[in-house]
Amino acid sequence: MRYLFEEYAFDTDRRELHLGDGVIPLAPQVFDLLLYLIRNRERVVSKEELTNAIWNGRAVTDAALTTRLRVARSAIGDSGEEQRLIKTLPRKGWRFVGLVREAQTPAAAALTADFTDESFQNITRAPNGGTMSISRATPRLSIVVLPFANIGGDPEQDYFVDGVTESLTTDLSRISGSFVIARNTAFTFKGKAVNVKQVGHELCVRYVLEGSVQRGGNRLRVNVQLIDSETGNHLWAERFEKPVADLFDTQDEIVSRLANTLNAQLIQVEARRAGHLSHPDAMDLYFQGWACENNGTTAEYMTQAESFFDQALALDPGNIEALVGSARVKAAFGANLMGDDWTAHFVAAEAILIKALSLAPNHARAHSVLGLVRSMTNRAVQGIAECERALALDHNLADAHAFIGLAKFFLGRSEETEAHIYEALRLSPRDNNAYRWFMFAGLAKLFLGADLEAAAWMRRSIEANRNHPVPHYYLAAALALLGSLREARAAAQAAVVLNPTFTLRRYRARVASDHPAYLAGRERACEGMRIAGVPEG
């Protein structure tokens, strides 16, 4: 069934919300909440009804319910103030007041819901008219999330464990180029002993994700492993524990951490596969480009990444992922002062992102990278707006939180930066980009005059990725201002090895903001680098 209202199409078979040609990602509980309100649009729905229908009557805090209603409104372009589509009736409940039309989805859509066109190479029927045989090619970056096991067997915890599985399935489907088996199919394996190779063959997926959740008192232990379905080899495993406060917030955090980590792991695996292909296609080249970009922002890695993205775009000029990757690399060239023409790099990056968003207006990462570009070119307020748009489209996009923190730094609000970095780390504590986030926090501290804290953050950045030259320069500045000249000079020398083109002249020439607090901080950082022996140029 499809429910149509305004420019939206709400597809209950695929469990998707469409705006034009794009899909707006929804967490399972938010989808169910919207569905219940739409189906019961002729009347007011109480809090008790919603909790019974969506949470099976379990206790739900007002804050948790309010948060999901806010997310649902945001997804359909509504707000608590406007209430154009979802109206709140104080002390009574809520009602969906938008004009809704109903339409049946084509039968073919239901038959092909779990397969993309590339999944089918040949379809034949036996000569005697018997069973149809299907020859399928396994799609790249294809995965099924098997229902997580509820260790301990407490039936009261089943809803929580199933919620983790559902939400993770939804969030993984946002990974660029991914093919994720629908939850309805995945849940047919619940409680069964499975053969991973057989599951991969039956569902035509390369990867199987399985896990378990165990609760002891007020703590949760989560185990998860990613398996290659063709070989049965374990590609990645993770275990973490977390205290339980609000179950729904805990579930959201678990899912965000896993989705962000898996994103990086799957890109690395696909890049390794693509490296062995004699004729890679655009997406193979995209995976290789992003894997290079994740290695660090040296000129060597950035040049390699740029080459892969350029090759992808030569094969497919409209490839959104390659466009965003290309823009990200160009922004990195500008941000890391790898040439005197840093402005040209940002101009080129912005043009590419505008093209990408004209083709895919709801591409979250494109919005976040555009936010970074605008923040670094003296338009931090616009940059924050782009990052907030990105988070509305993908709440897992930890990078967007960090970019907002950087934008606050450019606005002279460095004291606010650290909180945004911690939010990014909460969502993705082992993120490939964390080294950049640590540097953002260190920059804010340096410009505030908190040199000891600045040095600590810069060291964290360097430990996370030693192939990023800029934090070495800022560490040299912080140490010099602290009077640790020997260490400062060593840091400066390490920085020059990674980026020998960086000079104080070039640093002074790039002005990302005209805010007085930012300008004063730059002069202070520049003096520290001069004392540490960074070349004048």
Side-chain angles (χ1 to χ4, degrees), residues 212-394:
S212 63
V213 180
Q214 182 175 14
R215 184 170 183 178
N218 67 339
R219 297 190 68 82
L220 279 175
R221 173 178 291 175
V222 180
N223 290 284
V224 63
Q225 46 270 339
L226 179 67
I227 303 168
D228 185 323
S229 68
E230 295 174 1
T231 64
N233 293 335
H234 283 65
L235 301 172
W236 167 80
E238 179 69 282
R239 170 191 286 181
F240 65 89
E241 291 190 16
K242 178 166 178 58
V244 178
D246 183 294
L247 269 181
F248 298 112
D249 288 342
T250 301
Q251 179 178 306
D252 288 346
E253 185 170 338
I254 289 171
V255 170
S256 294
R257 287 187 176 201
L258 291 175
N260 280 311
T261 304
L262 279 164
N263 192 339
Q265 294 294 328
L266 289 167
I267 284 174
Q268 290 293 334
V269 173
E270 288 295 327
R272 287 196 294 270
R273 285 179 181 267
H276 297 296
L277 299 176
S278 55
H279 300 289
D281 65 15
M283 284 307 294
D284 293 322
L285 292 162
Y286 156 75
F287 288 126
Q288 289 179 281
W290 205 261
C292 285
E293 202 272 348
N294 282 340
N295 284 333
T297 52
T298 64
E300 179 185 3
Y301 286 132
M302 291 298 99
T303 301
Q304 289 175 0
E306 187 174 43
S307 174
F308 281 122
F309 292 134
D310 286 348
Q311 291 176 64
L313 291 170
L315 292 174
D316 180 5
N319 187 296
I320 304 301
E321 308 309 332
L323 286 169
V324 175
S326 177
R328 177 72 179 247
V329 169
K330 286 176 171 55
F333 274 117
N336 292 282
L337 296 173
M338 294 179 182
D340 288 327
D341 56 346
W342 64 274
T343 303
H345 288 302
F346 282 126
V347 169
E350 185 161 1
I352 292 170
L353 290 165
I354 289 171
K355 177 182 177 180
L357 287 168
S358 72
L359 298 171
N362 292 321
H363 195 288
R365 189 175 292 278
H367 282 286
S368 73
V369 178
L370 183 58
L372 172 67
V373 169
R374 288 183 171 167
S375 294
M376 297 201 73
T377 50
N378 203 15
R379 293 170 290 167
V381 173
Q382 293 179 38
I384 290 172
E386 288 294 336
C387 289
E388 288 176 341
R389 172 65 175 153
L391 288 168
L393 292 166
D394 181 358

Side-chain angles (χ1 to χ4, degrees), residues 447 507-508 517-529:
F447 279 40
Y507 179 74
R508 289 190 181 97
Y518 166 79
L519 295 174
R522 277 182 85 255
E523 285 305 311
R524 192 171 182 279
C526 201
E527 177 61 14
M529 283 189 262

Side-chain angles (χ1 to χ4, degrees), residues 12 29 45 68 90 92 100 155 168 191 201 242 299 345 410 428 460 481 530:
T12 61
Q29 289 169 347
V45 175
R68 280 150 181 79
K92 293 183 179 179
V100 178
L168 190 55
H201 177 73
K242 178 166 178 58
H345 288 302
F410 290 132
S428 191
R460 286 185 70 182
L481 293 169
R530 185 192 65 77

Side-chain angles (χ1 to χ4, degrees), residues 20 57 66 85 149 235 300 436 457-458 474 511 523:
T66 300
L85 294 171
L235 301 172
E300 179 185 3
R436 292 187 177 102
W457 278 109
M458 292 304 172
Y474 283 123
V511 182
E523 285 305 311

